[in-house]
């Protein structure tokens, strides 16, 4: 039984770190590093980031694949994608780095730090009313494992927190809106929108002129989903008109953001180079090993992608 690591070692750690960590956590599996695939029939699992299925060979005994990328939209419709289960590699309780990142931007906007920074640049001793947490409504688009921890932290701080998801959910810790029909009432009561949605044909361009108009005047946007969730031209118009106050964008399209993009120098936009979180080799190996053990025992992958839903 062999696991082939495809390009993960180029983005996170290195080949030695992957081999050594698997030796510690799952010594029974042989680790191979692409392009040294060895005998293809031995490879039962693939773990990758930004895979190129045009150059990967066929693996006759492949059982499952694991993607480090948060989004899988770039390859799940590839004609050469192997017909085996595909799982995401994510910590089941969320990632503390994502939690701190979301909290950081919510608190920045809530306490109007961009406004104070602008006042400082003008040497203005700015005194203005401070909005209390219970007066601020934070809405999460997506309420999966990455969204739930920051949502609960914000709730504990006194914010009014709600979430919008694709389909109905059982009772949750925060009010849940669902489906297209409830998107508008959700956005109507959202002062700070936090996007943690997967990118699908249904969610691409979800933040556009139509939905910005649904939000309260002066609302704010934090996008840690995918760049294509936001229609940039509509965002800039909403910011310039005052319909939105601020936007923090960690995910952009394309990446890196071109130097001539108007987002770079817009006074109401924070551009971040996709740095919300960075998992370690040890974290990823722990999740891959747990998935392989589940598969070998006849179970499902822990976070299996539904190809029809595209996430």
């Amino acid at each position: 039984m062999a696991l082939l690591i495809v390009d993960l070692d180029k983005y996170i750690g290195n080949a030695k770190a992957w081999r050594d960590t698997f030796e510690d956590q799952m010594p029974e599996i042989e680790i191979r590093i692409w392009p040294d695939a060895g005998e293809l029939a031995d490879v039962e699992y693939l773990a990758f980031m930004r895979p190129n299925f045009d150059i990967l060979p066929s693996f006759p005994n492949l059982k499952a694949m694991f993607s480090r990328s948060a989004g899988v939209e770039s390859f799940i419709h590839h004609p050469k994608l192997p017909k085996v289960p595909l799982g995401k590699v994510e910590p089941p309780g969320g990632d503390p780095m994502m939690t701190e990142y979301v909290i950081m931007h919510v608190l920045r906007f809530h306490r109007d730090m961009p406004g104070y920074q602008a006042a400082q640049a003008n040497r203005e001793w700015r005194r203005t009313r401070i909005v209390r947490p219970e007066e601020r409504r934070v809405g999460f688009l997506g309420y999966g494992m990455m969204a739930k921890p920051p949502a609960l932290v914000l709730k504990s701080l006194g914010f009014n927190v709600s979430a919008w998801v694709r389909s109905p959910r059982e009772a949750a810790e925060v009010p849940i809106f669902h489906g297209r029909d409830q998107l508008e009432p959700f956005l109507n009561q959202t002062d700070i929108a936090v996007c943690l949605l997967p990118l699908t044909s249904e969610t691409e361009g979800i933040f556009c002129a139509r939905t910005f108009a649904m939000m309260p005047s002066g609302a704010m946007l934090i996008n840690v989903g995918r760049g294509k969730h936001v229609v940039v031209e509509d965002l800039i118009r909403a910011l310039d008109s005052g319909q939105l106050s601020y936007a923090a964008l960690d995910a952009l399209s394309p990446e890196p953001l071109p130097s001539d993009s108007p987002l770079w120098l817009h006074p109401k936009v924070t551009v971040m180079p996709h740095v919300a979180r960075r998992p370690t080799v040890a974290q990823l190996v722990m999740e891959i090993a747990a998935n392989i053990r589940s598969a070998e025992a006849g179970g499902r992958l822990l976070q299996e992608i539904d190809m029809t839903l595209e996430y």
Side-chain angles (χ1 to χ4, degrees):
M1 179 172 63
L3 165 69
L4 179 63
I5 303 290
V6 181
D7 291 343
L8 272 170
D9 57 306
K10 296 179 180 178
Y11 298 102
I12 304 169
N14 54 45
K16 183 178 186 303
W18 283 94
R19 293 185 190 279
D20 290 350
T21 308
F22 265 106
E23 179 62 28
D24 289 340
Q25 295 195 28
M26 197 177 192
E28 66 271 25
I29 193 166
E30 179 187 355
I31 301 302
R32 298 177 183 175
I33 308 293
W34 177 259
D36 183 16
E39 176 58 49
L40 300 183
D42 297 337
V43 176
E44 298 184 15
Y45 297 97
L46 292 180
F48 49 66
M49 185 170 180
R50 302 176 188 173
N52 183 353
F53 288 105
D54 286 324
I55 65 172
L56 285 175
S58 175
F59 302 97
N61 296 317
L62 193 65
K63 295 179 179 178
M65 305 177 293
F66 309 106
S67 173
R68 158 62 192 96
S69 302
V72 297
E73 68 282 347
S74 64
F75 63 83
I76 60 169
H77 298 300
H78 195 287
K80 294 184 179 180
L81 181 74
K83 302 299 190 289
V84 298
L86 169 65
K88 291 190 295 183
V89 184
E90 302 285 6
D95 189 323
M97 291 189 74
M98 179 63 81
T99 300
E100 69 180 22
Y101 186 88
V102 170
I103 298 299
M104 172 185 71
H105 281 300
V106 170
L107 294 182
R108 280 183 65 241
F109 286 170
H110 167 63
R111 295 302 298 263
D112 196 19
M113 290 306 298
Y116 287 111
Q117 289 172 319
Q120 180 179 343
N122 294 324
R123 302 181 185 183
E124 174 191 351
W125 190 256
R126 183 173 183 257
R127 302 280 289 181
T128 187
R129 179 179 177 273
I130 298 175
V131 178
R132 292 195 55 81
E134 58 268 21
E135 300 176 78
R136 190 77 75 185
R137 300 165 298 181
V138 182
F140 283 79
L141 289 94
Y143 195 62
M145 19 182 212
M146 290 297 160
K148 183 175 177 180
L152 295 183
V153 171
L154 290 167
K155 181 181 177 182
S156 75
L157 293 175
F159 290 90
N160 287 301
V161 181
S162 61
W164 177 83
V165 297
R166 179 181 179 274
S167 52
R169 297 273 186 96
E170 295 182 3
E173 302 84 354
V174 301
I176 298 290
F177 296 74
H178 70 270
R180 291 184 179 182
D181 291 345
Q182 293 187 15
L183 179 60
E184 183 168 1
F186 166 76
L187 290 176
N188 286 168
Q189 53 91 69
T190 295
D191 300 313
I192 301 178
V194 181
C195 180
L196 277 159
L197 291 169
L199 182 64
T200 69
S201 56
E202 293 182 356
T203 65
E204 182 171 345
I206 191 170
F207 282 104
C208 60
R210 181 180 64 87
T211 49
F212 291 142
M214 298 175 184
M215 301 174 73
S217 179
M220 294 157 270
L221 170 64
I222 300 167
N223 185 25
V224 279
R226 310 299 287 174
K228 290 184 178 180
H229 283 136
V230 179
V231 179
V232 170
E233 296 80 5
D234 291 355
L235 172 64
I236 290 174
R237 281 192 287 268
L239 290 167
D240 290 345
S241 71
Q243 176 59 25
L244 294 189
S245 294
Y246 301 118
L249 309 174
D250 184 64
L252 298 123
S253 180
E255 293 182 355
L257 189 66
S259 60
D260 61 352
S261 170
L263 294 172
W264 281 114
L265 299 179
H266 198 288
K268 296 181 179 180
V269 175
T270 300
V271 170
M272 300 290 283
H274 212 135
V275 292
R277 63 192 185 101
R278 284 289 184 271
T280 64
V281 173
Q283 285 177 313
L284 296 176
V285 168
M286 182 181 298
E287 296 309 316
I288 293 171
N291 274 281
I292 292 175
R293 291 188 177 107
S294 177
E296 289 295 307
R300 290 175 54 86
L301 301 186
L302 304 182
Q303 296 170 46
E304 189 168 334
I305 300 294
D306 185 324
M307 295 299 187
T308 60
L309 298 179
E310 303 178 324
Y311 64 90

